Amino acid sequence: MQTETFLEEADRYFNAGDCISAMRTINSGLASVRSAMHDEEWKDFVVTAREHPALKTTRLCPFTSHAARRPYGYPGDAALIDYIYGYVKPELDKLPRSIYAHTVGAAAPRAVRFRRHLLANLIDRVLHEQGTGASILAVACGHLRELDLSRLISQIRPQRFLALDQDENSLAEVDKCFAPFGVSTELRRIKDIVVGKVSYKPLDLAYAAGLYDYLDNETAQMLTRNLFNMLGPGGTLHIANFLPGIEDVGFMEVAMDWWLIYRDEKQMLALLEGIPDTAIGSVRQYRDPDNNITFLEVQRQ
């Protein structure tokens, strides 16, 4: 069977100490199998593949094993993203070190790092334009690590920079790192915004980094509409989503148990349904250099 062949080949590479060839074989093989299977067939395959020695070897990587364990009870937690950003630097040797270097250096993590830089630049743009009167909302903020890349947050204290998350541990880290710069935190479920329970208007910038990767279309559409309605005149809503067909998807789902909801540009634009065209000043879409994430910026008229 072809699927068994590429995993066995990867296992031979691992045993020979050739981590790069092993990981490339696993990534390309899983991506190929996933694209050829229906959803239910793929889910059955995932259960079996996880027990293969080659996949068990990948769990020597702390980034991979953290994702699979879900220590905070949900996928893609802020502590996991800190591996990608380099805030966590595990002491490893030989094979685990090689696997770790490959996983955090793969295309999807590179896109996450690009997203972080992009958000920092966006925040600086708003701070430059609005000065101390700026009002910014970060939704599902995680550890808010983009502020470490901001050039202006230490110079311009915004009128309001509110960071929302459902995780108390994440907010505690934000408080520790960024409260001196005027950032305030709020423990808040996304559902509260989706159903219109809370509002933070008027905002110059509302953004969500990785949140939309976990939202179904109805929830994402309602959230988009409500966040847009919180913008003041000229305010910007910035959202991002991983694109379908990324090269890391098979490895993420099999080895890391990290399942996302993927959207292309057309599907992102569909999230604007219900917002009057007359209320929209401009719409901009773009991607990261590796074509892993699509970004949508909507400016209020």
Side-chain angles (χ1 to χ4, degrees):
M1 183 178 179
Q2 184 180 2
T3 55
E4 293 177 343
T5 299
F6 81 81
L7 289 176
E8 289 168 359
E9 181 181 4
D11 194 41
R12 288 194 292 272
Y13 280 129
F14 275 138
N15 291 331
D18 187 351
C19 174
I20 294 177
S21 295
M23 293 299 295
R24 286 177 176 172
T25 300
I26 290 173
N27 283 347
S28 61
L30 291 176
S32 177
V33 171
R34 188 184 188 278
S35 65
M37 288 184 173
H38 298 297
D39 288 347
E40 292 305 315
E41 187 180 9
W42 168 248
K43 289 176 182 178
D44 290 339
F45 170 82
V46 167
V47 174
T48 302
R50 283 178 180 165
E51 298 305 312
H52 194 280
L55 266 298
K56 289 183 177 180
T57 299
T58 65
R59 293 173 207 151
L60 295 173
C61 164
F63 175 58
T64 302
S65 61
H66 180 108
R69 288 187 293 108
R70 298 189 182 186
Y72 295 96
Y74 60 92
D77 59 73
L80 177 71
I81 305 304
D82 272 356
Y83 281 99
I84 295 176
Y85 292 157
Y87 286 85
V88 180
K89 297 180 179 179
E91 295 185 5
L92 306 169
D93 58 11
K94 297 182 180 178
L95 187 57
R97 181 175 58 197
S98 297
I99 299 173
Y100 179 71
H102 188 280
T103 54
V104 298
R110 287 200 305 271
V112 171
R113 289 189 287 271
F114 176 88
R115 184 180 68 193
R116 180 189 179 209
H117 281 271
L118 189 152
L119 289 173
N121 290 335
L122 181 59
I123 290 166
D124 280 350
R125 187 181 80 193
V126 172
L127 291 175
H128 176 73
E129 293 173 351
Q130 303 299 328
T132 56
S135 181
I136 299 172
L137 176 68
V139 184
C141 64
H143 287 164
L144 205 69
R145 299 299 192 195
E146 55 269 18
L147 279 194
D148 277 334
L149 300 180
S150 167
R151 294 175 293 105
L152 296 183
I153 193 64
S154 62
Q155 304 172 37
I156 301 174
R157 188 184 181 100
Q159 177 181 344
R160 176 172 58 171
F161 195 125
L162 182 58
L164 308 182
D165 206 280
Q166 66 174 1
D167 190 293
E168 293 182 4
N169 295 310
S170 293
L171 294 180
E173 180 71 7
V174 174
D175 281 329
K176 182 181 74 173
C177 296
F178 303 115
F181 303 116
V183 175
S184 57
T185 59
E186 185 174 310
L187 188 65
R188 178 67 62 184
R189 299 179 304 165
I190 299 305
K191 182 180 179 181
D192 292 339
I193 303 177
V194 172
V195 300
K197 182 178 178 180
V198 294
S199 178
Y200 303 98
K201 64 173 63 173
L203 297 169
D204 297 302
L205 171 64
Y207 72 89
L211 173 62
Y212 278 71
D213 296 317
Y214 305 95
L215 302 180
D216 61 61
N217 285 333
E218 182 180 2
T219 302
Q221 191 176 93
M222 294 174 66
L223 178 62
T224 301
R225 182 171 62 249
N226 288 344
L227 288 175
F228 180 86
N229 288 337
M230 295 181 200
L231 299 175
T236 298
L237 172 62
H238 177 97
I239 58 178
N241 214 115
F242 267 94
L243 287 154
I246 63 170
E247 64 182 65
D248 296 335
V249 61
F251 184 82
M252 290 170 64
E253 292 176 351
V254 177
M256 305 181 77
D257 195 23
W258 198 358
W259 302 74
L260 304 180
I261 295 173
Y262 298 90
R263 293 184 175 92
D264 59 21
E265 282 79 4
K266 183 177 179 180
Q267 291 168 318
M268 291 292 279
L269 284 176
L271 300 181
L272 302 181
E273 186 176 328
I275 300 175
D277 291 342
T278 54
I280 298 176
S282 64
V283 176
R284 183 185 176 208
Q285 289 184 290
Y286 47 95
R287 296 183 176 190
D288 70 286
D290 290 319
N291 292 311
N292 277 253
I293 297 178
T294 178
F295 301 94
L296 173 64
E297 280 187 25
V298 188
Q299 187 175 47
R300 191 179 183 94
Q301 190 68 265

